[in-house]
């Protein structure tokens, strides 16, 4: 999801929400729209940047949607710190990711009309490298002041192009007012007492669904995950197309478990909801870290300014604010939490994730094999 998609889903569901993630439920159509001085996003252009230097940042709509969004805060603070600079957002008019557009433009030799990309998943970076012979993003890690502050295990790019700025931990969220016993392990989900209780998302169309699939592969192994999913499907797990669809079904009481985010209680507390309905279940004491990253386009004519923007997003000031606005956890050791986030945000004892090298050459096959199994079941 792009993380703040949950806010929109929460409105649809009638005020219940949870942290969401990048890309969920969106199509990949990526006609670019731009937003400028207001910090809010609408389809099409909402203003005209007239400053002497304009930094164009491509991202997903919910990241810049509204005055309380991460994008609004970033724009205000970065422009205040840099004279004569305007931050201009570029978002797709439909769907939640425009990375495919940039891949296609690079293939065709067309101009890349942005300087920075915000909202890159590790598997998307793998896909960029698989589909392009040229380098879409520049190596900037050695030029950053705050790169060394990124938490161990979240550095996803061995080439130093993509830097994580926040992370979510994907795991089941449980309505403990309905279930007498909260599952504690992956094997628990196969018990008959949980038949039909779990809502999951399509790994082909949902970042949350893909993260949970990857967690099962991490836990069961590449040779065992299909057997595990076969047993899970036999236990009547429901696979829905998007996080929005799954979470809305959960809030309507259609099932007492949904694959979601470990920030579940934070939003529930902010909304005055019963926290027992949003109990986080870290299976095997693990949660799948799904960091969101940013990168500077290699063709940017404002390379120095773009690098400064990336460095600012890793600063202590930004890390104590932006992840919370995005209902995510900080990516750096300097990030801190406040309010309900400090009180209710949960992180697993053992965060796990696949590295870039582990996903390269594997993730496409894993997802396709999983999709065939689900379709045939």
């Amino acid at each position: 999801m792009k993380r703040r998609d949950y806010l929109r889903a929460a409105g649809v569901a009638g005020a219940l929400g949870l942290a969401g993630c990048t890309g969920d439920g969106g199509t990949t159509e990526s006609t670019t729209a731009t937003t400028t001085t207001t910090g809010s996003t609408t389809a099409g252009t909402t203003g005209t940047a007239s400053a002497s230097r304009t930094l164009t940042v491509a991202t997903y709509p919910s990241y810049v949607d509204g005055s309380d969004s991460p994008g609004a805060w970033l724009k205000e603070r970065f422009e205040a710190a840099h004279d004569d600079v305007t931050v201009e957002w570029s978002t797709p008019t439909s769907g939640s990711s425009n990375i495919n557009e940039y891949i296609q433009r690079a293939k065709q030799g067309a101009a890349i009309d942005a300087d920075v990309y915000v909202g890159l998943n590790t598997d998307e970076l793998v896909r960029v490298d698989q589909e392009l012979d040229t380098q879409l993003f520049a190596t900037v890690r050695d030029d950053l002041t705050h790169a060394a502050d990124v938490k161990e295990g979240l550095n996803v790019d061995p080439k130093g192009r993509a830097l994580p700025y926040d992370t979510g931990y994907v795991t089941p969220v449980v309505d403990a007012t309905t279930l007498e016993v909260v599952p504690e392990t992956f094997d628990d989900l196969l018990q008959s007492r949980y038949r039909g209780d779990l809502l999951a998302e399509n790994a082909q169309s949902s970042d949350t669904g893909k993260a949970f699939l990857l967690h099962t592969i991490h836990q069961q192994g590449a040779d065992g995950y299909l057997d595990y999913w076969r047993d899970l499907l036999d236990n009547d797990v429901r696979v829905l197309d998007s996080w929005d669809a799954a979470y809305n079904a959960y809030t309507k009481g259609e099932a007492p478990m949904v694959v979601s985010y470990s920030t579940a209680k934070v939003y529930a507390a902010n909304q005055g909801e019963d926290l027992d309905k949003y109990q986080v279940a870290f299976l095997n004491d693990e949660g799948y870290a799904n960091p969101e990253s940013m990168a500077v386009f290699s063709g940017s004519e404002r390379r120095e300014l773009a690098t400064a923007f990336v460095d600012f997003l890793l600063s202590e000031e930004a890390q104590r604010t932006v992840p919370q606005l995005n209902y995510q956890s900080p990516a750096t050791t300097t990030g801190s939490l406040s309010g309900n986030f400090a009180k209710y945000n949960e992180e697993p004892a053992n965060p796990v994730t696949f590295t870039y090298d582990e996903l390269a050459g594997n993730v496409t096959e894993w997802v396709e094999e999983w999709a065939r199994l689900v379709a045939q079941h």
Side-chain angles (χ1 to χ4, degrees):
M1 151 162 73
K2 296 331 185 163
R3 296 291 304 163
R4 286 172 54 87
D5 283 358
Y6 82 95
L7 287 172
R8 294 181 300 171
V12 173
L16 291 193
L18 206 319
C21 168
T22 69
D24 269 272
T27 65
T28 56
E29 181 180 349
S30 54
T31 301
T32 300
T34 58
T35 64
T36 55
T37 56
T38 64
S40 61
T41 302
T42 58
T45 302
T46 58
T48 301
S50 58
S52 59
R53 290 187 296 168
T54 298
L55 183 73
T56 302
V57 182
T59 189
Y60 49 93
S62 58
Y63 197 77
V64 295
D65 186 13
S67 59
D68 62 344
S69 67
W73 187 91
L74 276 170
K75 176 181 173 63
E76 177 185 353
R77 297 304 180 96
F78 191 75
E79 290 178 352
H82 296 79
D83 292 338
D84 298 328
V85 168
T86 294
V87 174
E88 181 181 87
W89 301 108
S90 177
T91 61
T93 54
S94 64
S96 57
S97 173
N98 50 10
I99 191 62
N100 285 341
E101 175 188 357
Y102 291 110
I103 291 174
Q104 294 307 315
R105 293 181 71 87
K107 282 183 175 180
Q108 297 164 8
I112 302 296
D113 56 355
D115 303 295
V116 181
Y117 191 92
V118 170
L120 189 68
N121 290 335
T122 309
D123 62 286
E124 290 177 328
L125 181 62
V126 169
R127 181 152 50 88
V128 166
D129 289 343
Q130 288 176 336
E131 297 195 22
L132 297 178
D133 295 328
T134 56
Q135 186 162 301
L136 185 62
F137 298 119
T139 298
V140 298
R141 180 181 174 82
D142 291 343
D143 301 326
L144 303 174
T145 303
H146 304 295
D149 296 331
V150 173
K151 293 176 181 176
E152 184 177 357
L154 293 185
N155 277 309
V156 298
D157 182 8
K159 297 180 180 178
R161 299 161 298 174
L163 281 300
Y165 57 87
D166 65 25
T167 188
Y169 296 98
V170 175
T171 196
V173 171
V174 176
D175 181 353
T177 68
T178 300
L179 290 181
E180 293 183 0
V181 179
V182 174
E184 296 181 347
T185 69
F186 282 91
D187 288 343
D188 284 349
L189 293 180
L190 304 181
Q191 295 179 11
S192 59
R193 68 188 307 167
Y194 298 119
R195 181 176 298 280
D197 283 349
L198 178 63
L199 299 167
E201 298 88 9
N202 188 337
Q204 289 185 304
S205 57
S206 162
D207 287 344
T208 319
K210 185 181 294 181
F212 186 62
L213 169 62
L214 292 176
H215 196 180
T216 63
I217 297 171
H218 197 280
Q219 176 63 218
Q220 305 292 326
D223 295 331
Y225 79 98
L226 289 176
D227 290 336
Y228 178 79
W229 270 94
R230 191 173 291 107
D231 292 340
L232 205 56
L233 291 165
D234 286 342
N235 211 29
D236 293 341
V237 61
R238 284 178 59 194
V239 178
L240 303 181
D241 280 343
S242 68
W243 179 87
D244 290 9
Y247 201 77
N248 285 340
Y250 176 77
T251 58
K252 291 177 181 176
E254 295 181 16
M257 289 192 288
V258 62
V259 173
S260 192
Y261 297 91
S262 66
T263 47
K265 285 185 178 176
V266 179
Y267 188 80
N270 288 343
Q271 299 300 311
E273 297 293 331
D274 183 350
L275 299 186
D276 286 340
K277 294 183 177 179
Y278 302 92
Q279 186 160 334
V280 175
F282 287 124
L283 304 176
N284 298 61
D285 292 327
E286 297 177 350
Y288 192 84
N290 200 35
E292 292 181 303
S293 296
M294 55 192 163
V296 174
F297 284 102
S298 58
S300 171
E301 296 179 353
R302 301 167 186 81
R303 170 75 173 272
E304 184 176 350
L305 187 62
T307 302
F309 182 86
V310 168
D311 209 25
F312 176 70
L313 194 37
L314 294 177
S315 69
E316 180 178 356
E317 177 188 8
Q319 285 291 304
R320 68 171 178 256
T321 304
V322 174
Q324 293 183 78
L325 292 174
N326 207 25
Y327 277 84
Q328 293 271 43
S329 295
T332 73
T333 56
T334 60
S336 59
L337 303 176
S338 59
N340 280 337
F341 229 101
K343 191 172 182 179
Y344 296 114
N345 184 43
E346 297 182 61
E347 296 188 7
N350 301 309
V352 301
T353 195
F354 279 117
T355 66
Y356 173 97
D357 289 333
E358 290 169 330
L359 291 175
N362 290 314
V363 63
T364 300
E365 181 180 354
W366 287 339
V367 173
E368 289 178 350
E369 287 180 339
W370 174 88
R372 282 194 292 271
L373 174 67
V374 173
Q376 295 168 359
H377 194 275

